[in-house]
Amino acid sequence: GARGGGPGRVAGVELAPRARGGAVERGLGREAEAIRSGFLAVRPCGGDAVVGNPPYVRLRHLPEEEARLALGVTAGVLGRRMDPSGSLWMPFLLHATRFLEPGGRLAFVLPHELTYVRYARPLWRALGERFGELRVVRVRERIFPELMQEAVILFASGRGGRAMTVRFEVFEREADLAGGEPARASRREMLTSRRGKAPSVNGK
């Protein structure tokens, strides 16, 4: 949407025909702007915001061509290939950063492992170098019951800025997200070395 608050263009990317058609039928986007494609294959274009719910599939479980594309995306953003033991959500998130204009923001539903796995350390460094503010939000009430693992929401804003910390927030209920105060909140240092290190934001 437009940053000034007026009407803006909204485009969506969906590979599954049924999901794409359902989104158009529900008025979530126009037919011409509902792109049927794998997200990693879409050429980046400027925008104010990106919202995503990527797959959590391990790269080693992907067909060879798809895994090669994912590794190529991470190498293009990070300057190095990601650990092939990692998951597809990471290249999705990195690719999303390419779509944002200065000052842009993103919100992604991600697995809780984002906060502690070793292969995400270069990702945290990249996020800290590209955004002015980073937040990880966890809701104790299960708001994504279809997921087989615990999820968090990553908010990154101020594209073009630099963040040295990440704010971690825990909410009791989904309803508290809209204007409520978190049950717990802390700000942790994130970039502790040249190589980057995942923040200790487990929030259990």
Side-chain angles (χ1 to χ4, degrees), residues 63-108:
E64 185 177 345
E65 185 175 336
E66 291 182 37
R68 190 181 307 116
L69 176 60
L71 290 169
V73 166
T74 57
V77 179
L78 298 177
R80 57 183 283 188
R81 288 162 65 95
M82 71 177 282
D83 187 326
S85 68
S87 183
L88 190 55
W89 60 261
M90 184 165 153
F92 266 63
L93 176 58
L94 288 168
H95 191 49
T97 67
R98 295 169 152 176
F99 288 76
L100 295 173
E101 298 284 358
R105 60 198 185 278
L106 62 79
F108 262 59

Side-chain angles (χ1 to χ4, degrees), residues 27-57:
L28 299 178
R30 293 183 294 206
E31 181 75 26
E33 294 173 342
I35 303 165
R36 185 183 172 195
S37 172
F39 179 60
L40 297 182
V42 177
R43 190 179 212 172
C45 56
D48 292 331
V50 179
V51 177
N53 183 11
Y56 300 168
V57 182

Side-chain angles (χ1 to χ4, degrees), residues 102-124:
R105 60 198 185 278
L106 62 79
F108 262 59
V109 178
L110 298 169
H112 185 253
E113 68 178 41
L114 162 78
T115 66
Y116 61 83
V117 290
R118 182 178 297 274
Y119 74 80
R121 290 178 179 179
L123 167 69
W124 282 108

Side-chain angles (χ1 to χ4, degrees), residues 189-203:
E189 255 186 59
M190 181 178 60
L191 305 178
T192 59
S193 71
R194 177 76 182 163
R195 292 163 54 194
K197 184 177 180 181
S200 300
V201 290
N202 290 336

Side-chain angles (χ1 to χ4, degrees), residues 116-171:
Y116 61 83
V117 290
R118 182 178 297 274
Y119 74 80
R121 290 178 179 179
L123 167 69
W124 282 108
R125 176 172 171 77
L127 293 173
E129 292 176 342
R130 288 165 172 78
F131 291 93
E133 183 176 1
L134 299 169
R135 291 170 57 219
V136 174
V137 172
R138 175 175 165 252
V139 181
R140 289 198 174 109
E141 177 185 35
R142 197 169 180 85
I143 59 176
F144 304 107
E146 72 280 5
L147 297 181
M148 298 302 292
Q149 56 184 298
E150 185 178 3
V152 297
I153 307 171
L154 171 70
F155 295 95
S157 59
R159 180 71 164 94
R162 184 176 178 87
M164 297 301 293
T165 61
V166 57
R167 180 174 169 84
F168 184 77
E169 299 174 349
V170 178
F171 290 85

